[in-house]
Amino acid sequence: LVCFLDDQTKEHINCTLPPMDGYPECEGKLKWMKEMWETDPCYKSFGVDGSLCSFLIYLSEIEPWCPVLPGRVGSSELEKNLEMGSEQAVVRESLEGLYSSVGNRPQYSWIHQRIHSMKEIWVEAGRSLSAKYNLTQRKAKQIIVHPGAITYESGVKIAESAFHGGPLGELVQWSDLISTLHILGHHLHLSGSTFLGIKKGACPRYSRVNVDLIYTDIVGFKQIQKSAPVIWSRYKCIIRVLDSFGTEPDFNHIAWAEKHNLKSPFGGLHLVPLQFYTMFPHTPDNTFLGFVVQHQLSTEEIEKLKSTKRQNQALVYGKRAEFWQGKEAYLDVIHKYLEIHGTVDKNTSIPSYVKNHGIIKGTAVQILLRQSKVFVGLSFPYEGPAPLEALANGCAFLNPRMHPPQSRLNSDFFKGKPNIREVTSQHPYAEAIGKPYVWDVDMHNLTDVERALTGILSQSIEPYVPYEFTCEGMLQRVNILVEKQDFCSHRESWPPVSALQVVKAEANTSCKEACQKAGLICEPAFFPNLNSPTSFAKYGVDCQTSQFSDSNLVLPAYNEDSKHCLFQSDSLLFSCVRSDQSLIRICPCRDYIKDQIALCKECV
Ligand SMILES: *[C@@H]1O[C@H](CO)[C@@H](O)[C@H](O)[C@H]1NC(C)=O
Ligand SMILES: *[C@@H]1O[C@H](CO)[C@@H](O)[C@H](O)[C@H]1NC(C)=O
Ligand SMILES: *[C@@H]1O[C@H](CO)[C@@H](O)[C@H](O)[C@H]1NC(C)=O
Ligand SMILES: *[C@@H]1O[C@H](CO)[C@@H](O)[C@H](O)[C@H]1NC(C)=O
């Protein structure tokens, strides 16, 4: 496709080396190509024939190391051509096409297992969504999926420990994202180790001109930055970073973080904060990606569950024996009412009355949940998927409160995280769901624990999954994000400006809080719409004086006494989450669909 000019003329244009300014790696790559171009037939397929000219064309148009030759079509032209002749995305009726890429890579084995185990409910959800919305007229996008933390290079070993009680949150999210994108009809390119093959000089099977989106994580983002230093900035606007706990704007902004001593090993990526995709809807400055809490059962398992009766039984949330330390008094109270079961790696430091099943498979955990009435939080781990699994299986969740709330300021776990969000209980998302599903307790006040237990046991609880955590809900959300969210061209603003609702916050109140109080959610995409004296005037704020500044996180805002207005001069510092004692924030809010908080009502 790219080399048709040469194929037609069959002549070697006399290529002279163009100026190499800004392409420090071009010469080295040319030397490498000269030696190595015959080692992989892929180079030939891109038109490389051993001539200097073909090397230069390849290294400028397929890989990004050299300047584009004069007279050649630049990649932006190619991009346009590709877009015009683009293929339509069709909702898929099977996950088969995925297995060849996830099935034979050990790093993906846990992910493969999860995808496979949910295949029928994914396909069903795709059909159901197609029946509700017209999902035609979409371009089939080329999407690279690069989960850095599961690569061998990362040394994180998530993939290896998944089968032995290691944390699963990230793997769950990757599995569900991959299934979602596949069902939606896009083309996925999964990367197992190095990114795009650029690092080892391998010939890529796809070129930079036709990649639409890249999903990665913070580890993967840094690998991309390192392995492709020249081009990563070109890719920047199509990158989405999976980031479980979220990155707040002040930690994301390189210069701000440095100046204010907010350094974090995970911060300083300097992206648009909405490019961070979180597990739960944490800060509205980031995008809520989520995952799925739904299982597909075999007929055998369905039979088993049918004969499963709920017993006076509690299952404790804690796979590692150390999470149980110091919780005896709390568990003793629960044990007065219920038989206690666990799925713990060791028996040390767990009370002798606990029936420990060891680390068991997901479906076995489900059966335990179906037999239980209560899923017992031990206050750690924070914000995992398990409490939602428990609700989905008809258990109530005992959710320990945090006194004081935990954040990077007082907790080792949150210390390195690039946010200062305060976690008020083990699971703030569940906390917001509330009774009869979720009961917040003070673990150290045994009267309070008894009060919650008697409350739970006095009623029967139905299984509950919020729509945003179902396959269909995730398909709906991700489809709209893939189609509409755009950090490259800003051709069309999203969400639509008509969804903007302006709320004046009180002093000391953040936009996150102010919007919430009004039954809305802060929408950072709308900050630019409020960032000028004329837009302030529209909302009844007369500025006596005004000024643009990049030294405050709460802008746009004004001082009520002096009527001095301050506007944000650095768009990466727009933030929903901070407040100021002497400034009134003017907040961009929007409505949201109940149980689908990422989307406004007119977004679907
Ligand atoms: C979906 O929309 C397209 C164009 O807007 C239209 O041509 C097509 O018939 C619609 N399909 C369905 C099933 O409504
Ligand atoms: C832990 O205790 C259970 C009984 O609750 C027992 O069946 C299991 O073998 C023990 N596991 C270990 C690793 O000692
Ligand atoms: C303990 O919990 C009970 C019941 O919720 C409550 O009435 C009491 O004030 C609490 N005690 C303390 C010391 O917090
Ligand atoms: C803002 O909060 C601070 C600290 O919580 C408090 O000292 C101050 O009085 C508050 N100011 C206003 C105007 O509410």
Side-chain angles (χ1 to χ4, degrees):
L1 174 71
V2 177
C3 297
F4 64 96
L5 281 178
D6 295 281
D7 291 347
Q8 275 171 358
T9 58
K10 292 282 177 220
E11 251 170 50
H12 291 164
I13 319 152
N14 204 6
C15 282
T16 43
L17 287 177
M20 300 283 177
D21 299 341
Y23 294 90
E25 302 179 57
C26 183
E27 259 194 83
K29 293 279 170 188
L30 277 170
K31 277 197 192 119
W32 187 93
M33 279 298 278
K34 207 170 159 199
E35 307 272 302
M36 306 298 284
W37 71 276
E38 280 175 307
T39 58
D40 186 335
C42 167
Y43 294 114
K44 253 188 201 152
S45 76
F46 279 114
V48 176
D49 60 5
S51 68
L52 173 65
C53 212
S54 70
F55 297 155
L56 270 170
I57 288 169
Y58 175 85
L59 288 172
S60 60
E61 295 176 19
I62 306 302
E63 290 190 34
W65 309 108
C66 298
V68 176
L69 287 174
R72 294 287 303 184
V73 195
S75 58
S76 59
E77 297 260 332
L78 279 174
E79 249 164 82
K80 248 188 255 153
N81 291 344
L82 281 164
E83 202 151 315
M84 284 195 305
S86 64
E87 167 203 349
Q88 301 262 305
V90 176
V91 173
R92 290 201 175 94
E93 287 282 319
S94 134
L95 290 173
E96 288 299 318
L98 268 182
Y99 301 147
S100 59
S101 41
V102 292
N104 47 21
R105 293 188 178 149
Q107 313 94 296
Y108 279 90
S109 60
W110 195 92
I111 290 177
H112 181 212
Q113 226 174 61
R114 178 169 167 94
I115 291 175
H116 187 68
S117 76
M118 292 167 65
K119 60 181 188 295
E120 280 157 30
I121 52 175
W122 275 115
V123 170
E124 186 47 46
R127 284 186 196 136
S128 165
L129 192 72
S130 308
K132 290 180 191 160
Y133 302 96
N134 189 342
L135 297 179
T136 60
Q137 311 289 309
R138 297 173 305 131
K139 180 189 173 219
K141 301 211 161 153
Q142 300 292 339
I143 299 177
I144 294 175
V145 174
H146 179 63
I150 72 166
T151 58
Y152 297 127
E153 289 84 348
S154 74
V156 182
K157 296 208 162 76
I158 284 189
E160 288 89 333
S161 68
F163 294 101
H164 312 289
L168 298 180
E170 280 92 346
L171 293 175
V172 165
Q173 203 177 24
W174 279 115
S175 312
D176 296 348
L177 175 65
I178 291 169
S179 305
T180 299
L181 295 169
H182 182 80
I183 290 286
L184 289 173
H186 299 297
H187 299 298
L188 300 190
H189 305 277
L190 303 186
S191 124
S193 53
T194 47
F195 176 71
L196 286 177
I198 284 173
K199 192 167 167 190
K200 288 186 183 143
C203 183
R205 264 60 193 171
Y206 36 86
S207 72
R208 66 171 162 154
V209 290
N210 56 12
V211 178
D212 297 294
L213 275 170
I214 299 171
Y215 291 91
T216 186
D217 51 17
I218 292 175
V219 173
F221 181 88
K222 295 196 169 164
Q223 290 172 340
I224 297 172
Q225 228 176 355
K226 213 165 128 197
S227 67
V230 183
I231 50 152
W232 84 272
S233 63
R234 294 189 51 124
Y235 282 123
K236 203 169 166 176
C237 67
I238 59 170
I239 290 180
R240 308 289 181 264
V241 178
L242 272 61
D243 174 20
S244 304
F245 297 95
T247 296
E248 289 172 348
D250 37 354
F251 291 85
N252 168 60
H253 193 283
I254 294 176
W256 182 281
E258 251 165 42
K259 187 165 166 210
H260 296 85
N261 209 15
L262 297 176
K263 290 226 94 163
S264 145
F266 305 108
L269 267 53
H270 217 70
L271 295 169
V272 177
L274 284 167
Q275 285 177 273
F276 294 99
Y277 277 35
T278 56
M279 283 281 276
F280 289 98
H282 297 311
T283 163
D285 289 313
N286 301 151
T287 298
F288 166 53
L289 172 62
F291 57 95
V292 168
V293 182
Q294 240 186 335
H295 292 277
Q296 169 184 317
L297 299 170
S298 64
T299 38
E300 192 185 324
E301 281 156 352
I302 290 170
E303 283 312 307
K304 207 161 173 186
L305 283 177
K306 265 192 205 147
S307 58
T308 303
K309 278 228 188 65
R310 231 167 266 286
Q311 287 149 22
N312 266 343
Q313 174 178 316
L315 181 65
V316 176
Y317 177 20
K319 284 183 289 192
R320 310 276 293 275
E322 56 266 33
F323 302 163
W324 293 58
Q325 274 163 21
K327 313 285 159 63
E328 290 82 1
Y330 171 58
L331 292 170
D332 286 349
V333 174
I334 299 167
H335 184 230
K336 275 190 357 202
Y337 294 82
L338 299 161
E339 186 177 89
I340 299 191
H341 290 243
T343 55
V344 200
D345 57 353
K346 285 178 272 189
N347 278 340
T348 46
S349 79
I350 71 173
S352 58
Y353 52 73
V354 174
K355 296 212 163 134
N356 183 12
H357 302 261
I359 303 294
I360 51 174
K361 271 186 22 185
T363 45
V365 175
Q366 269 205 59
I367 295 192
L368 281 176
L369 287 168
R370 297 281 180 112
Q371 290 168 342
S372 305
K373 291 184 175 165
V374 186
F375 190 54
V376 178
L378 293 174
S379 76
F380 193 85
Y382 302 119
E383 307 188 303
L388 295 186
E389 305 271 354
L391 304 191
N393 283 292
C395 281
F397 176 52
L398 216 48
N399 184 29
R401 287 192 203 99
M402 298 295 171
H403 288 303
Q406 301 291 292
S407 73
R408 79 190 313 264
L409 305 176
N410 60 1
S411 138
D412 280 341
F413 179 79
F414 287 110
K415 198 173 229 153
K417 307 266 185 289
N419 64 64
I420 42 178
R421 190 167 57 88
E422 291 196 323
V423 173
T424 48
S425 66
Q426 180 170 4
H427 208 289
Y429 181 86
E431 184 181 336
I433 293 174
K435 289 173 197 166
Y437 305 105
V438 178
W439 297 67
D440 302 338
V441 287
D442 177 355
M443 286 173 87
H444 305 292
N445 176 346
L446 303 181
T447 323
D448 197 45
V449 178
E450 291 208 46
R451 174 198 53 90
L453 279 172
T454 49
I456 292 169
L457 297 177
S458 70
Q459 49 194 299
S460 78
I461 291 164
E462 291 301 313
Y464 172 63
V465 183
Y467 183 69
E468 56 202 355
F469 285 96
T470 63
C471 292
E472 190 185 312
M474 184 153 177
L475 283 169
Q476 182 192 45
R477 178 170 67 251
V478 173
N479 181 49
I480 289 174
L481 292 172
V482 166
E483 296 304 313
K484 303 287 189 182
Q485 208 180 34
D486 179 2
F487 304 109
C488 296
S489 70
H490 305 286
R491 263 182 295 218
E492 180 187 354
S493 87
W494 189 83
V497 182
S498 47
L500 169 62
Q501 299 190 41
V502 179
V503 168
K504 212 185 276 185
E506 285 163 28
N508 256 1
T509 307
S510 72
C511 285
K512 181 182 176 181
E513 295 161 326
C515 295
Q516 215 162 35
K517 230 188 235 169
L520 304 167
I521 184 168
C522 178
E523 176 50 78
F526 291 146
F527 272 117
N529 299 78
L530 303 181
N531 200 37
S532 69
T534 40
S535 43
F536 265 33
K538 230 170 36 198
Y539 301 107
V541 180
D542 278 322
C543 303
Q544 294 283 316
T545 51
S546 67
Q547 170 188 2
F548 275 79
S549 156
D550 63 357
S551 57
N552 204 317
L553 290 165
V554 301
L555 310 184
Y558 71 101
N559 182 297
E560 195 151 40
D561 302 325
S562 64
K563 295 277 186 283
H564 182 60
C565 298
L566 285 162
F567 299 100
Q568 187 56 263
S569 62
D570 185 338
S571 64
L572 288 191
L573 291 175
F574 282 129
S575 168
C576 290
V577 292
R578 303 281 177 258
S579 61
D580 189 287
Q581 307 192 31
S582 56
L583 290 174
I584 308 267
R585 302 195 63 175
I586 299 295
C587 299
C589 312
R590 64 162 166 85
D591 62 15
Y592 57 87
I593 299 170
K594 184 180 156 17
D595 280 353
Q596 185 66 289
I597 199 166
L599 304 178
C600 66
K601 288 180 179 151
E602 59 180 295
C603 288
V604 295

